Amino acid sequence: MDVSLQQTSAMDVKPPVTSVGVLGWVRQNLFNGPLNSILTIVVVLVLVRIVPPLFKWALVDSLWTSSGAACKATTGACWSVLTHNARFILFGFYPHDQQWRPLCCVILIVGLFLYTRSPNRWSKGLAIAWGVSLVAMGILMPGGVLGLQPVEPGQWSGISLTLLLSLFGLTVAYPLGVILALGRRSRLPAIKAMSVLYIELIRGVPLISMLFMASVMFPLFLPEGITVNKILRAQAAIILFTAAYIAEVVRGGLQAVPRGQYEAAESLGLDYYQKMRLIILPQALKIVIPPTVGILVSAFKDTSLVVIIGLFDLLKTTQVTLSNPEWMGFSTEAFLFIAVLYFLGCFSMSSFSRRLEKALAR
Amino acid sequence: MDHDPQTGMSPTGKKPFMSDPTDSKSETRGSARTIIHIAGLHKWYGDFHVLKDINLDVEKGERIVICGPSGSGKSTLIRCINRLEEHQRGRIVVDNIELTNDIKNIEKIRAEVGMVFQHFNLFPHLSILENLTLGPIWVRKVPKAEAEQTAMYFLQKVHIADQARKYPGQLSGGQQQRVAIARSLCMKPKVMLFDEPTSALDPEMVKEVLDAMIELAEEGMTMLVVSHEMGFAKSVAHRVLFMDSGQVVEQNSPEEFFSQPRHERTKLFLSQILH
């Protein structure tokens, strides 16, 4: 009886005021020691110095729809450089009256991605939707069928080029990487040797040189009269490059799956493909979600390297805009915008990976 | 090697010495009832001679317990039977199919030979029910509904039907091992191999697993059990094999084996294991 009495009274005691609520939080996180207290004060001072002027520049004094000349007169940010040139920055040289097509592609990609972010919405239908929209994009961009005016791949540019290179690059590179990883672990010496050779060769070469090879050297090997368009070649270079990195990461995952799992699968009589598809890969790929997403994020950013072979991705269209005398000198605003776009892309990928890990955690 | 794996039928004399498995059996005891035939088996890990001239015939319904000190090759021996380990010399014939490098043969034998591991090796990403139905659906091509029915039947037999929707990580070691036994049984195997099935278990869970195995034994399953559970050996085994440094030192009925061990090595082992 005594014991139960003690227990109830012990449970009734409230925690001290200083450890809960706003005060408790501040104490615990900002002032829980001399060093932290000093750091907090320093950070607050720095923020006071920086934030108000930044706010003034970016919002109060800023111009949103003026001409370039008006911009030069103000001390604030000139967001007009973006609003005036939005269409060119986003869609580049794609024919003006046809720009609804890349717009559709961008909306499709972003929309589907946002919808796919919650693993509980996954279904067969969604997979089919992705498949269908990949095909739709493959028709929309070049046109030439269904009464769509054909558009030369050389004219694809801006954000649609960035997104398409990334999306198609990643969707092809990932399975290719998995196959290479399996190849590298194969018992068949020829397959193993080829996979190792491929992976090590590609990993020993910078992406830039692969892009150069794809754009300059590759056409030399083609027979007279046959041309493969530049975007496709760049795309192939990105895929081949990314796949080699994914292969190594997936190999790590394959090695992390305990031997007992291989043996249990084999002892049931599963053949190699069943064993890999049903038992090993689901576990291995789950283990390597974080590094895989790391590779996909850097591949997404690396698509901006296609500028050096003369493709007009998001970064290049922005540069072109800034070389227009009217808008010269507003690179801060323009590149801030580009940075935000890239950040949104990368951040949503990594937050997606965290959700995925959580959903698969068991 | 190119003899006919299908039914063990004569491949019309390509290689006479292995032409007809039933022939070779007639010289071994039990002939038609023999389900596992091991003759002159040698295995090396690199230079290390781990199995030395093993000869063993197992009849249908026979229950054999293999014991011996660690490193004596007992696990390796039963792992050779479903080719988790490759042997370098000698023959292994399981259910009239000879184990060769032919992967189709190996898969066929593995489907007929169930295996229970020391560390359970359940598939952690699949539910218990999926663990049990995977083999039947993909290897035996059984319809899903039927496979689930079978799975529930065997889960009931090992007394954990209520856990069917859970995942392996949510179960205790003893429960996991019983699931592993049920998983093998779902394939309707002709032989069950147990590789130290209770060694990784907490002491209080050993009994529930042994009970499941005893129940299985009573139904006439052919079993090869690597184990140090001497009580189990006494109560269900037909034969006890004692292995040391890659050789079968002694084999006998459990009564004889425990009461009158013939070899010094066996006596020493038994004195250490039966306190």
Side-chain angles (χ1 to χ4, degrees), chain A residues 313-331:
Chain A
D313 82 323
L314 185 58
L315 206 60
K316 187 69 181 174
T317 52
T318 309
Q319 278 176 339
V320 170
T321 306
L322 291 172
S323 63
N324 177 344
E326 192 185 351
W327 301 107
M328 235 177 236
F330 300 111
S331 48

Side-chain angles (χ1 to χ4, degrees), chain A residues 187 259-272 274 277-280 282-283 286 362, chain B residues 79 82 84-85 107 110-111 113 115 117 121-126 134-135 138-139 141 167 183 187:
Chain A
R187 280 184 175 196
R259 222 178 111 74
Q261 292 291 313
Y262 289 84
E263 290 178 349
E266 283 163 12
S267 75
L268 282 177
L270 296 178
D271 65 30
Y272 177 81
Q274 294 169 336
R277 191 162 76 79
L278 301 167
I279 307 298
I280 306 302
Q283 297 184 57
K286 189 183 116 191
R362 227 158 244 149
Chain B
R79 286 159 60 85
N82 63 352
L84 289 182
E85 303 284 352
E107 278 159 14
R110 283 171 176 166
V113 177
M115 179 126 188
F117 299 87
N121 298 349
L122 296 179
F123 306 128
H125 61 298
L126 300 176
L134 186 105
W138 290 93
V139 179
K141 314 288 180 208
Y167 284 84
R183 176 175 69 181
M187 290 293 289

Side-chain angles (χ1 to χ4, degrees), chain B residues 1-256:
Chain B
M1 309 206 178
D2 47 7
H3 79 293
D4 186 341
Q6 297 300 321
T7 52
M9 282 189 303
S10 167
T12 55
K14 269 183 191 162
K15 290 200 173 170
F17 68 93
M18 57 161 56
S19 61
D20 188 351
T22 46
D23 254 353
S24 64
K25 288 240 188 61
S26 56
E27 66 203 32
T28 68
R29 65 196 184 83
S31 64
R33 286 189 49 80
T34 306
I35 188 145
I36 299 176
H37 170 67
I38 299 174
L41 179 71
H42 288 264
K43 171 164 180 64
W44 288 263
Y45 284 129
D47 284 337
F48 180 58
H49 202 170
V50 56
L51 292 178
K52 301 167 187 163
D53 192 28
I54 306 280
N55 294 284
L56 176 68
D57 281 275
V58 183
E59 285 185 19
K60 279 182 190 142
E62 199 176 10
R63 298 187 289 277
I64 297 179
V65 169
I66 304 169
C67 59
S70 67
S72 60
K74 48 196 191 314
S75 286
T76 310
L77 172 61
I78 66 165
R79 286 159 60 85
C80 278
I81 295 173
N82 63 352
R83 232 333 139 105
L84 289 182
E85 303 284 352
E86 206 172 310
H87 61 280
Q88 279 94 25
R89 206 194 295 166
R91 311 182 53 190
I92 301 178
V93 181
V94 182
D95 194 26
N96 290 334
I97 305 173
E98 169 146 6
L99 268 179
T100 60
N101 284 325
D102 183 340
I103 187 70
K104 284 290 150 213
N105 266 358
I106 296 173
E107 278 159 14
K108 217 167 280 163
I109 287 176
R110 283 171 176 166
E112 301 301 338
V113 177
M115 179 126 188
V116 175
F117 299 87
Q118 182 177 358
H119 296 287
F120 332 135
N121 298 349
L122 296 179
F123 306 128
H125 61 298
L126 300 176
S127 73
I128 299 302
L129 193 62
E130 288 165 335
N131 262 280
L132 266 67
T133 53
L134 186 105
I137 289 174
W138 290 93
V139 179
R140 296 260 193 245
K141 314 288 180 208
V142 172
K144 189 167 176 235
E146 194 187 323
E148 284 182 353
Q149 232 172 10
T150 317
M152 289 313 292
Y153 170 77
F154 282 113
L155 277 181
Q156 253 147 27
K157 292 206 71 160
V158 295
H159 313 294
I160 31 177
D162 50 331
Q163 315 280 359
R165 302 282 161 193
K166 288 195 182 167
Y167 284 84
Q170 298 168 298
L171 269 54
S172 74
Q175 289 173 323
Q176 289 195 42
Q177 193 61 300
R178 284 184 283 152
V179 171
I181 293 174
R183 176 175 69 181
S184 292
L185 291 177
C186 283
M187 290 293 289
K188 309 264 172 72
K190 294 181 175 155
V191 181
M192 284 284 283
L193 307 175
F194 294 82
D195 189 0
E196 309 210 21
T198 55
S199 308
L201 294 175
D202 287 340
E204 75 262 37
M205 290 168 182
V206 170
K207 188 171 176 298
E208 63 188 55
V209 170
L210 286 181
D211 284 347
M213 288 167 64
I214 290 170
E215 228 170 283
L216 188 60
E218 280 162 359
E219 285 168 18
M221 173 64 75
T222 312
M223 295 163 74
L224 270 81
V225 184
V226 171
S227 176
H228 293 154
E229 295 294 336
M230 292 303 136
F232 174 80
K234 274 177 195 161
S235 61
V236 305
H238 294 120
R239 242 198 298 172
V240 180
L241 256 68
F242 177 73
M243 286 184 70
D244 186 35
S245 50
Q247 285 169 310
V248 178
V249 175
E250 183 165 348
Q251 52 174 312
N252 220 328
S253 68
E255 301 81 34
E256 301 280 313

